[in-house]
Amino acid sequence: LITMLLAGASVFFLTSVLFIFLEIFDSSIKLPSIFNKISKIKAAGIVNGINLKNAPAMTVVMNEVKASNNQELFKNSIRKLRYEILNSGKKAFLFTSTQKKVGKSALIEALAGSLLRGKKKVLIIDLNFAHNTLTERFAAKVFIEDFTGRNKGLNMTQINHAKTDTEGLYIIGCKSGNVTPVEELHNLDMISFIEELKEEFDFILVEGAALNHFADSREIAAFADGIFTVFAADDTLSRADHDSMKFITDNHSKNFGAILNKVYTANMQS
């Protein structure tokens, strides 16, 4: 009995030491307070992580029936971001990140849904050629490549075909490939194109590829009114991240801040 008690105490002690060791040397940005200390980008919002396998982000946000506490917290976090967009006086926003798989597509989808609940007409433009998740998610019928070499003036027939099954939501997708916007859209004046789209839509949400790995978002920034940079709470920040953040801070007039995504609910106030 004494041997068993000593063995149990030893296991408990070693496990406690291991957890303390992992906590001390955990370099992830899981806490908003840690992120604020090490990031040079102002905070725009904090969004808790939720399971989106059973219900897409837009479904969670647009559901009028009270959901689980975790989903309700997610909806309210998105509403706070919606407030920033509604009161910005801007229309075209780029959502980028420094690293891959931080949840940009889900955030854009959720924000679009939240704006739709406010009776806004929203256009999503997927310019993430490396991972065109939004194009696949909404089964886009119109692609940005369709507009290259166009004559002056917006082709409303194409825009009408971009309408999704969700009322008020339109999407212009992109074809997957190892290209950047400058290479693929060299025959399209994106600045004029976006200005024309602003006449038809209340808000335009654009997704760009991760800054650490691709040049896409740097090219897209030229025609965006504002830039949101998404980080995942379970990631760590490297030298490459800080170099990418410098690009964002250098665009200070367009920098709308960082969104810390996938935060554990228990850490939301930490």
Side-chain angles (χ1 to χ4, degrees):
L1 180 62
I2 294 173
T3 302
M4 290 176 62
L5 289 173
L6 288 174
S10 300
V11 171
F12 176 78
F13 175 76
L14 290 173
T15 303
S16 301
V17 170
L18 177 62
F19 278 115
I20 292 172
F21 179 85
L22 291 174
E23 189 69 24
I24 292 173
F25 291 95
D26 183 5
S27 57
S28 64
I29 49 176
K30 60 183 179 181
L31 300 179
S33 56
I34 295 176
F35 178 75
N36 289 336
K37 288 180 181 179
I38 62 179
S39 170
K40 296 180 180 178
I41 304 179
K42 64 180 180 180
I46 302 167
V47 181
N48 62 303
I50 61 171
N51 185 355
L52 297 174
K53 291 183 178 179
N54 298 324
M58 183 172 289
T59 302
V60 173
V61 170
M62 298 188 73
N63 187 3
E64 297 182 3
V65 179
K66 185 173 178 60
S68 65
N69 290 336
N70 208 31
Q71 289 182 333
E72 286 298 313
L73 181 59
F74 179 81
K75 287 168 66 174
N76 286 322
S77 298
I78 296 298
R79 284 169 177 160
K80 291 177 182 178
L81 290 172
R82 180 185 66 187
Y83 174 83
E84 297 297 326
I85 290 176
L86 289 173
N87 289 275
S88 67
K90 308 294 183 181
K91 283 194 168 187
F93 294 92
L94 165 64
F95 289 80
T96 186
S97 62
T98 60
Q99 301 184 31
K100 302 175 183 178
K101 299 182 179 180
V102 298
K104 293 192 299 294
S105 299
L107 280 179
I108 291 173
E109 183 184 338
L111 273 168
S114 193
L115 288 166
L116 291 174
R117 289 201 64 179
K119 305 304 178 183
K120 302 300 180 183
K121 188 177 180 182
V122 181
L123 171 65
I124 293 174
I125 303 180
D126 187 357
L127 292 183
N128 190 345
F129 295 97
H131 301 282
N132 56 348
T133 305
L134 289 168
T135 300
E136 297 176 355
R137 162 75 179 87
F138 291 100
K141 304 178 187 68
V142 177
F143 299 87
I144 191 67
E145 292 88 347
D146 299 335
F147 295 91
T148 57
R150 69 190 181 96
N151 296 323
K152 187 174 179 59
L154 196 62
N155 187 328
M156 287 310 300
T157 301
Q158 287 177 304
I159 297 301
N160 290 332
H161 286 160
K163 188 174 182 179
T164 68
D165 294 335
T166 304
E167 184 66 30
L169 179 64
Y170 296 70
I171 182 168
I172 297 176
C174 68
K175 298 173 183 177
S176 179
N178 184 21
V179 293
T180 73
V182 165
E183 295 168 355
E184 192 70 4
L185 310 176
H186 62 277
N187 288 330
L188 177 61
D189 183 351
M190 284 299 297
I191 294 177
S192 298
F193 183 56
I194 292 295
E195 289 301 318
E196 291 178 71
L197 289 171
K198 287 179 186 178
E199 298 296 321
E200 297 295 327
F201 296 94
D202 295 312
F203 294 99
I204 302 168
L205 310 180
V206 184
E207 179 176 354
L211 287 160
N212 288 359
H213 306 278
F214 306 98
D216 303 45
S217 291
R218 288 175 167 81
E219 297 172 359
I220 298 168
F223 56 82
D225 295 332
I227 303 171
F228 286 99
T229 311
V230 183
F231 294 84
D234 53 358
D235 283 338
T236 58
L237 296 184
S238 65
R239 175 61 182 273
D241 291 287
H242 289 285
D243 290 342
S244 296
M245 284 190 285
K246 185 178 184 305
F247 168 79
I248 298 297
T249 54
D250 286 346
N251 281 271
H252 53 87
S253 62
K254 295 184 177 184
N255 178 20
F256 273 67
I259 301 172
L260 185 58
N261 193 26
K262 301 182 180 180
V263 178
Y264 285 120
T265 302
N267 293 337
M268 287 290 286
Q269 303 300 323
S270 301

